[in-house]
């Protein structure tokens, strides 16, 4: 099966973006304890702490982000979500391994990393590890509307996890915009993508709440189909897929951005004369 063509990279000569990829979905092949909802966008581990490995239904296109939001947590287990890519076709597996690490990785052509509470940014050459863990942050993460990773430019807004509005949400909103939401917390958003290189290989990048962690793995076979791997492991119980807009934003997204920038905090959205669906979209997304 040929690798999917690149739909997101900007055409420098025309100044336009190529067509967007289809919506992401979970594969029907998955771990024994996983249940995928009928839409293919939510994966839940129904028992134990293992057998939670999931895959993307289709290979990713270069620069396409497979983005999940943590929906449910489960107390009593040690460990968190695991994320990565594989060149193995899920449909060809005789059985889905119990764990992504080390079982699936040991099959070869698979690159998976455990997301930790303190996972923030991979140190760059010459950078101290302490600086990578606690980098200086801008006044607001969303001031820069695009996240640039190598040759790709990705709208940042939906990459960032936010709290669900509640009694004290107005006190927390700025914290979430500053991206201090722990990577393993509920509502945190984590994504994986690959960026081809001129030598025919690719770099794998992991994104956590709108921040690029840097190349997590190099030398991936860019010419082969690469599927996303999400291991709903241990304390992570349920995740849902978040769809991104790579081209021009939709009218709904533009309305949401204008509304969010015009209110003091998200609780004020309830007082606006807007349809409930748009209010919820503005508060939760």
């Amino acid at each position: 099966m040929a690798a999917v063509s690149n739909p997101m990279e900007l055409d420098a000569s025309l100044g336009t973006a190529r067509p967007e990829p289809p919506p992401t979905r979970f594969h029907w092949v998955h771990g024994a304890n996983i249940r995928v909802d009928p839409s293919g966008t939510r994966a839940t581990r129904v028992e134990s702490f293992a057998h939670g490995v999931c895959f993307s239904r289709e290979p990713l296109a270069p620069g396409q982000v497979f983005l999940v939001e943590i929906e449910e947590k489960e107390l009593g287990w040690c460990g968190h979500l695991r994320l990565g890519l594989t060149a193995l076709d899920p449909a060809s597996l005789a059985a889905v391994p119990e764990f992504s690490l080390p079982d699936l990785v040991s099959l070869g052509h698979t690159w998976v990393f455990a997301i930790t509470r303190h996972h923030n940014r991979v140190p760059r050459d010459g950078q101290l590890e302490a600086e990578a863990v606690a980098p200086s942050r801008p006044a607001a993460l969303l001031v820069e509307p695009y996240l640039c990773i190598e040759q790709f430019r990705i709208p940042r807004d939906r990459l960032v996890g936010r709290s669900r509005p509640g009694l004290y949400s107005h006190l927390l909103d700025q914290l979430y915009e500053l991206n201090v939401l722990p990577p393993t917390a509920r509502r945190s958003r984590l994504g994986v993508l690959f960026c081809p290189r001129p030598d025919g290989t690719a770099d794998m990048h992991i994104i956590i709440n709108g921040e690029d962690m840097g190349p997590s793995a190099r030398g991936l076979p860019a010419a082969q189909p690469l599927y996303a791997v999400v291991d709903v492991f241990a304390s992570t119980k349920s995740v849902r897929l978040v769809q991104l807009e790579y081209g021009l934003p939709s009218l709904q997204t533009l309305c949401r951005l204008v509304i969010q920038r015009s209110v003091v905090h998200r609780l004020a959205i309830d007082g606006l004369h807007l349809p409930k669906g748009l209010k919820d979209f503005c508060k939760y997304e």
Side-chain angles (χ1 to χ4, degrees), residues 32-110:
N33 288 334
I34 285 291
R35 300 295 180 268
V36 175
D37 77 335
S39 72
T41 62
R42 182 175 282 102
T44 303
R45 195 186 68 253
V46 294
E47 61 179 300
S48 183
F49 64 94
H51 287 291
V53 177
C54 305
F55 305 94
S56 59
R57 184 176 297 179
E58 301 291 340
L60 299 186
Q64 181 183 9
V65 182
F66 195 81
L67 183 68
V68 297
E69 178 177 289
I70 298 175
E71 281 218 319
E72 292 184 57
K73 304 280 291 186
E74 186 170 26
L75 299 177
W77 303 114
C78 294
H80 304 281
L81 186 81
R82 295 163 173 186
L83 189 63
L85 295 169
T86 182
L88 303 174
D89 184 346
S92 70
L93 295 175
V96 177
E98 182 176 6
F99 303 103
S100 60
L101 287 171
D103 300 359
L104 183 65
V105 171
S106 68
L107 297 180
H109 302 289
T110 301

Side-chain angles (χ1 to χ4, degrees), residues 77-266:
W77 303 114
C78 294
H80 304 281
L81 186 81
R82 295 163 173 186
L83 189 63
L85 295 169
T86 182
L88 303 174
D89 184 346
S92 70
L93 295 175
V96 177
E98 182 176 6
F99 303 103
S100 60
L101 287 171
D103 300 359
L104 183 65
V105 171
S106 68
L107 297 180
H109 302 289
T110 301
W111 304 264
V112 174
F113 287 82
I115 305 299
T116 68
R117 290 173 180 163
H118 306 293
H119 190 142
N120 190 59
R121 189 182 294 241
V122 176
R124 293 181 172 84
D125 293 341
Q127 182 185 34
L128 296 177
E129 184 175 354
E131 294 174 348
V133 171
S136 59
R137 301 187 188 280
L141 184 65
L142 300 183
V143 168
E144 177 54 55
Y146 291 96
L147 176 64
C148 295
I149 303 179
E150 299 189 21
Q151 68 268 47
F152 299 101
R153 190 176 71 160
I154 305 160
R156 181 177 248 141
D157 180 60
R158 302 203 73 190
L159 297 174
V160 182
R162 297 179 178 86
S163 63
R164 188 167 288 275
L167 183 60
Y168 300 106
S169 293
H170 62 292
L171 301 176
L172 297 174
D173 278 351
Q174 186 177 11
L175 297 179
Y176 284 96
E177 287 181 359
L178 291 173
N179 191 20
V180 296
L181 181 63
T184 58
R186 289 184 65 250
R187 309 285 295 171
S188 189
R189 293 185 176 183
L190 307 108
V192 63
L193 74 157
F194 72 92
C195 302
R197 299 183 62 84
D199 63 1
T201 66
D203 294 344
M204 182 179 82
H205 288 249
I206 289 175
I207 301 172
I208 297 179
N209 289 318
E211 281 197 273
D212 174 25
M213 301 296 105
S216 299
R218 298 185 187 273
L220 279 68
Q224 294 185 31
L226 293 171
Y227 295 82
V229 178
V230 178
D231 191 350
V232 187
F233 175 69
S235 64
T236 303
K237 183 175 179 63
S238 181
V239 298
R240 74 174 180 96
L241 287 170
V242 179
Q243 309 301 332
L244 299 181
E245 297 170 339
Y246 296 92
L248 294 174
S250 66
L251 179 60
Q252 187 181 43
T253 296
L254 291 173
C255 289
R256 172 170 55 84
L257 292 174
V258 170
I259 291 168
Q260 288 177 339
R261 290 168 182 167
S262 302
V263 298
V264 177
H265 54 75
R266 283 181 288 157

Side-chain angles (χ1 to χ4, degrees), residues 3-32:
V4 180
S5 60
N6 170 17
M8 275 78 64
E9 189 174 6
L10 291 180
D11 187 327
S13 62
L14 299 177
T16 58
R18 299 176 186 178
E20 294 194 8
T24 53
R25 297 287 185 268
F26 285 112
H27 205 286
W28 56 85
V29 173
H30 50 69

